[in-house]
């Protein structure tokens, strides 16, 4: 198996005799599962140690055990690790469930900053924790709609595991417990009642006043991992396996008194990508302070500010309260230009004022330079950082789903640069269209008027600035009109509901709504970035999985029926394939025709 790549393979070589065993019959075995490569396993099989590799007491050593003792193991599992059968199985005091399977992760989950929260049917959604923060990783939301919305309907038709969605995982929601990664090192973190996905198992006490703190102390220990792996060495353990681990409740309750002297820990995070982030720049992780300040300047607020009932540490609540003093700095229309336009102060001055209010007496010019350096930028002032580095860092920090969009005309030093709150651009009831019109005709229009005046007066560079601004305005007008390739396309919406012009739905997420802005590059812009200052790593292409035919009739969803790239508007064939293509385009004429046909059919 040394030549296999891209697969995880665990190999067992059994040698079995046909003799009936006696009570004293022994078994011999060598366990090399801790070896990560074939070479490591070969070394362990020789009884030698591997540098940098954890080597348990049974790894690479011939172990002799009584065959009759194996029947005492949970499920009579064969193990050469010497299972600890002291204590009672965890199932005696706790329950454990695995989480939700959506069937279409791109449609039903988003990053928390992409959508409206806590309104709109979205709920916090926990994934495997692969961060250093014990309170992560809850940076996503699930389109749950109280369990009776689009996800429920889709799951019923697609035969996704409705039982898990409604009968299992929901028993944990709202409870304190432990969330365990089912894959890899089985990292465990405190659980606070969120919805969670299928790569996580949540263990919680059967009684609401049960030993959650003792359970947490046990789950974060190396002993817990050893006990689980003694039972099961598969890549992905089951929730049932976790319940069979022996748990000495009294012993771990005593350990918990020292480990968690104040009781079950309450959530707190200085990471702005996390659901429980308090929202205050002065307490954010140093490399993210400026990102938080700019987001606040554009009017964004984090979930704890909007939900006074959220479970939070007392310190976090104090920082949330301090955010109230910063609300006056938030821009009303969600458009902040980096140069001064329409009589508004430059973005750097406005950000500096917000930071000064955040840090109080600690704010100095040197502090500004320190914070810029913390981001890894070589800029020496906020204006330069905003123009050249902000958006790239913003995209990387927020998982390439930016919620502050930097729209520019391709001129680094003296061109039009605007930061726009994506939530304003995707606002319902035509609010998003009005925001884009405001950017296109008011802010950019004012800039164009100034450059025309400069051309008349012979100001150096005005003619080039005017040409760049007009080029940008042309693209923004085209996005407003929505003709391909600057159109919106949402694969799960029927043709009759596809947007005509700029009419986005914030629930569709940044990935799909950003496409028109990235479809046509500026002459001096970034390749593939369109009118954005930097190119976020967004791919449309084809998503994993396929659609059920019962949900996608051809008259409403022709793109799920085999399409020919040479056929205009991808009208589809008579053969269904269910492929989840996203980078398709339909003309406004085709969309309008579909709407009119639907009206005629309704009559």
């Amino acid at each position: 198996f040394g030549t296999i790549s891209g697969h995880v393979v665990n190999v067992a070589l059994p040698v079995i005799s046909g003799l009936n065993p006696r009570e004293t019959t022994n078994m011999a075995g060598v366990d090399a599962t801790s070896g990560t490569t074939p070479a490591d396993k070969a070394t362990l099989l020789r009884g030698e140690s591997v540098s940098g590799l954890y080597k348990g007491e049974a790894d690479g050593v011939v172990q002799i055990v009584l065959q009759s003792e194996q029947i005492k193991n949970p499920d009579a599992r064969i193990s050469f690790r010497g299972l600890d059968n002291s204590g009672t199985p965890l199932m005696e005091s706790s329950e454990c469930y695995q989480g939700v399977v959506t069937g279409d992760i791109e449609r039903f989950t988003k990053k928390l900053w992409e959508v409206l929260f806590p309104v709109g049917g979205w709920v916090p959604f926990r994934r495997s924790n692969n961060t250093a923060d014990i309170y992560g990783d809850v940076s996503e939301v699930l389109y749950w709609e109280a369990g009776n919305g689009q996800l429920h309907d889709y799951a019923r038709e697609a035969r996704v595991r409705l039982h898990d969605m409604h009968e299992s995982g929901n028993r944990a929601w709202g409870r304190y417990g432990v969330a365990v990664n089912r894959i890899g090192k089985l990292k465990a973190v405190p659980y606070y009642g969120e919805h969670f996905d299928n790569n996580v198992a949540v263990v919680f006490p059967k009684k609401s006043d049960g030993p959650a703190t003792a359970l947490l102390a046990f789950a974060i220990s190396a002993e817990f991992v050893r006990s689980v792996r003694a039972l099961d060495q598969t890549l992905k353990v089951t929730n049932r396996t976790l319940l069979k681990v022996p748990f000495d409740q009294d012993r771990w309750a005593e350990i918990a008194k020292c480990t968690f002297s104040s009781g079950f820990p309450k959530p707190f995070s200085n990471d702005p990508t996390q659901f429980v982030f308090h929202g205050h720049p002065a307490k954010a992780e140093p490399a993210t302070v400026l990102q938080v300040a700019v987001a606040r300047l554009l009017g964004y607020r984090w979930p704890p500010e909007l939900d006074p009932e959220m479970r939070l540490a007392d310190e976090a609540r104090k920082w949330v309260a301090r955010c109230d003093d910063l609300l006056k700095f938030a821009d009303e229309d969600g458009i902040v230009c980096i140069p001064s336009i329409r009589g508004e102060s430059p973005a750097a001055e406005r950000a500096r004022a917000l930071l000064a209010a955040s840090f109080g007496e600690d704010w100095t010019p040197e502090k500004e330079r320190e914070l810029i350096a913390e981001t890894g930028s070589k800029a020496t002032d906020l204006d330069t950082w905003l123009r050249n580095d902000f958006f790239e860092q913003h995209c990387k920090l927020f998982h390439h789903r930016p919620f502050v969009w930097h729209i520019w005309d391709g001129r680094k030093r003296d061109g039009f640069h605007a930061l726009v709150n994506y939530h304003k651009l995707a606002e319902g009831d035509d609010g998003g269209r009005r925001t884009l019109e405001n950017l296109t005709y008011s802010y950019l229009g004012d800039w164009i008027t100034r450059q025309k005046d400069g051309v008349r007066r012979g100001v150096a560079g005005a003619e080039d600035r005017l040409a760049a601004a007009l080029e940008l305005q042309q693209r923004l007008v085209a996005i407003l009109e929505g003709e391909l390739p600057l159109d919106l396309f949402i694969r799960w919406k029927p043709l009759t509901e596809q947007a005509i012009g700029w009419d986005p739905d914030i629930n569709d997420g940044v990935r799909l709504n950003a496409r028109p802005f990235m479809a046509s590059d500026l002459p001096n812009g970034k390749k593939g970035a369109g009118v954005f200052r930097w190119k976020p790593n967004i791919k449309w292409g084809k998503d994993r999985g396929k659609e059920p035919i019962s949900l996608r009739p051809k008259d409403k969803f022709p793109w799920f029926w085999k399409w020919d790239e040479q056929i205009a508007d991808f009208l589809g064939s008579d053969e269904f394939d269910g492929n989840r293509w996203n980078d398709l385009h339909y003309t406004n004429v085709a969309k309008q025709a579909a709407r009119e046909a639907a009206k005629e059919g309704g009559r």
Side-chain angles (χ1 to χ4, degrees):
F1 293 92
T3 58
I4 291 180
S5 61
H7 300 275
V8 177
V9 180
N10 284 330
V11 182
L13 175 62
V15 179
I16 304 173
S17 70
L19 300 176
N20 291 326
R22 301 174 182 174
E23 284 295 320
T24 57
T25 299
N26 287 322
M27 297 169 55
V30 181
D31 191 340
T33 53
S34 63
T36 56
T37 66
D40 288 346
K41 294 179 184 293
T43 302
L44 288 171
L45 288 171
R46 291 193 295 268
E48 302 170 8
S49 62
V50 178
S51 177
L53 181 69
Y54 167 76
K55 187 169 181 290
E57 62 180 10
D59 292 341
V61 178
V62 176
Q63 300 290 320
I64 308 296
V65 296
L66 276 173
Q67 183 170 334
S68 59
E69 290 293 311
Q70 301 299 302
I71 200 68
K72 299 178 182 178
N73 295 335
D75 299 329
R77 301 183 188 210
I78 297 173
S79 175
F80 297 99
R81 292 174 176 254
L83 296 184
D84 179 8
N85 291 315
S86 63
T88 57
L90 201 53
M91 67 179 67
E92 297 295 325
S93 60
S94 305
E95 297 183 53
C96 180
Y97 297 102
Q98 60 192 39
V100 171
V101 178
T102 66
D104 190 346
I105 201 74
E106 296 289 352
R107 176 182 175 185
F108 294 111
T109 68
K110 299 287 182 285
K111 295 298 180 182
L112 68 91
W113 50 84
E114 293 186 69
V115 299
L116 297 175
F117 189 86
V119 298
W122 297 90
V123 295
F125 192 51
R126 177 180 290 278
R127 296 291 197 102
S128 299
N129 188 324
N130 298 308
T131 72
D133 188 345
I134 68 166
Y135 301 113
D137 186 13
V138 185
S139 61
E140 297 188 13
V141 285
L142 174 71
Y143 199 37
W144 185 243
E145 298 180 288
N148 296 306
Q150 295 181 40
L151 176 56
H152 176 272
D153 294 341
Y154 178 85
R156 182 182 57 216
E157 292 295 328
R159 299 183 180 180
V160 177
R161 296 163 67 173
L162 280 169
H163 175 77
D164 282 346
M165 292 170 58
H166 292 282
E167 301 298 332
S168 296
N170 64 359
R171 291 177 61 84
W173 301 340
R175 302 284 296 273
Y176 281 124
V178 180
V180 182
N181 291 359
R182 293 176 57 205
I183 299 176
K185 297 182 180 179
L186 310 180
K187 181 179 178 180
V189 295
Y191 170 75
Y192 300 99
E194 313 89 1
H195 290 53
F196 52 99
D197 85 349
N198 196 43
N199 290 319
V200 175
V202 167
V203 188
F204 62 96
K206 287 184 176 179
K207 298 180 180 179
S208 58
D209 58 348
T213 308
L215 186 61
L216 177 60
F218 174 50
I220 65 174
S221 70
E223 184 174 324
F224 172 75
V225 177
R226 286 196 299 269
S227 298
V228 174
R229 286 305 181 195
L231 288 173
D232 192 342
Q233 293 88 45
T234 58
L235 179 65
K236 191 172 186 177
V237 300
T238 67
N239 56 310
R240 293 181 178 87
T241 294
L242 299 181
L243 285 174
K244 292 167 182 174
V245 171
F247 175 52
D248 188 336
Q249 182 174 318
D250 293 338
R251 174 185 162 222
W252 286 103
E254 288 300 315
I255 294 174
K257 289 179 181 178
C258 299
T259 308
F260 305 108
S261 57
S262 299
F264 198 84
K266 296 180 180 179
F268 178 91
S269 179
N270 292 324
D271 181 350
T273 69
Q274 294 304 305
F275 180 73
V276 296
F277 176 63
H278 45 73
H280 202 282
K283 188 61 176 174
E285 294 176 354
T288 68
V289 169
L290 296 183
Q291 288 288 337
V292 176
V294 172
R296 298 204 67 90
L297 180 62
L298 270 293
Y300 184 76
R301 302 176 71 188
W302 272 264
E305 300 178 69
L306 307 173
D307 183 3
E309 303 301 319
M310 185 184 296
R311 292 170 173 172
L312 282 179
D314 294 340
E315 182 185 3
R317 274 286 163 218
K318 292 178 181 178
W319 283 103
V320 170
R322 289 183 58 178
C323 289
D324 291 344
D325 297 332
L326 305 178
L327 295 178
K328 60 185 177 183
F329 295 97
D331 188 83
E332 291 185 4
D333 62 11
I335 301 173
V336 175
C337 293
I338 293 179
S340 177
I341 298 179
R342 290 182 53 189
E344 294 183 355
S345 298
E349 288 187 15
R350 300 175 66 179
R352 194 173 288 119
L354 188 152
L355 286 161
S358 300
F359 284 90
E361 295 180 354
D362 293 332
W363 181 253
T364 63
E366 179 60 29
K367 185 70 173 178
E368 176 179 322
R369 289 189 289 272
E370 288 177 3
L371 291 174
I372 293 173
E374 286 283 357
T375 70
S377 170
K378 295 181 180 179
T380 58
D381 60 83
L382 276 178
D383 184 77
T384 305
W385 177 77
L386 285 168
R387 285 179 180 272
N388 300 326
D389 300 321
F390 160 75
F391 191 59
E392 177 180 355
Q393 294 173 3
H394 181 76
C395 291
K396 291 178 178 179
L397 175 63
F398 292 101
H399 305 270
H400 296 276
R401 297 295 182 265
F403 62 94
V404 176
W405 290 2
H406 185 165
I407 296 171
W408 73 323
D409 62 6
R411 296 181 66 86
K412 290 183 180 180
R413 296 182 178 85
D414 61 354
F416 178 85
H417 294 244
L419 304 178
V420 187
N421 185 339
Y422 163 72
H423 285 243
K424 291 287 187 179
L425 273 173
E427 196 171 35
D429 297 326
D430 290 328
R433 185 175 184 86
R434 289 192 296 271
T435 297
L436 184 54
E437 289 174 339
N438 194 19
L439 173 68
T440 304
Y441 298 114
S442 184
Y443 285 92
L444 183 54
D446 181 74
W447 178 261
I448 289 172
T449 299
R450 286 164 54 182
Q451 304 318 310
K452 287 180 178 179
D453 181 64
V455 171
R456 285 192 297 269
R457 293 186 290 108
V459 176
E463 189 171 345
D464 291 338
R465 287 193 294 272
L466 175 60
L470 290 172
E471 192 77 40
L472 171 61
Q473 189 178 58
Q474 178 184 349
R475 282 162 174 73
L476 295 181
V477 170
I479 294 172
L480 281 166
E481 294 173 351
E483 284 293 358
L484 56 85
L486 306 181
D487 59 311
L488 285 166
F489 173 73
I490 313 299
R491 62 171 167 80
W492 51 80
K493 291 185 175 180
L495 191 55
T496 54
E497 295 180 18
Q498 295 294 328
I500 297 177
W502 181 248
D503 184 21
D505 179 350
I506 196 169
N507 288 332
D508 296 331
V510 167
R511 182 179 71 136
L512 299 182
N513 286 334
R515 191 184 71 162
F517 289 81
M518 299 175 64
S520 178
D521 289 345
L522 294 165
N524 296 311
K526 298 287 186 180
K527 184 178 180 180
V531 299
F532 285 164
R533 178 65 179 86
W534 189 78
K535 181 184 181 298
N537 185 16
I538 294 177
K539 296 181 181 179
W540 298 285
K542 185 174 73 169
D543 291 335
R544 288 186 301 173
K546 291 195 175 185
E547 294 294 293
I549 190 172
S550 59
L551 284 175
R552 305 298 179 227
K554 181 182 173 183
D555 60 329
K556 294 182 178 180
F557 300 92
W559 48 89
F560 289 116
W561 299 70
K562 280 190 176 179
W563 46 268
D564 186 338
E565 292 185 4
Q566 305 303 316
I567 301 176
D569 298 328
F570 306 105
L571 298 178
S573 71
D574 292 328
E575 183 179 352
F576 182 82
D577 62 15
N579 285 325
R580 292 172 172 174
W581 298 103
N582 296 293
D583 201 13
L584 303 183
H585 302 271
Y586 286 81
T587 64
N588 288 341
V589 171
K591 295 174 184 177
Q592 189 60 46
R595 294 184 181 189
E596 292 174 359
K599 288 181 181 179
E600 291 294 328
R603 294 173 187 171

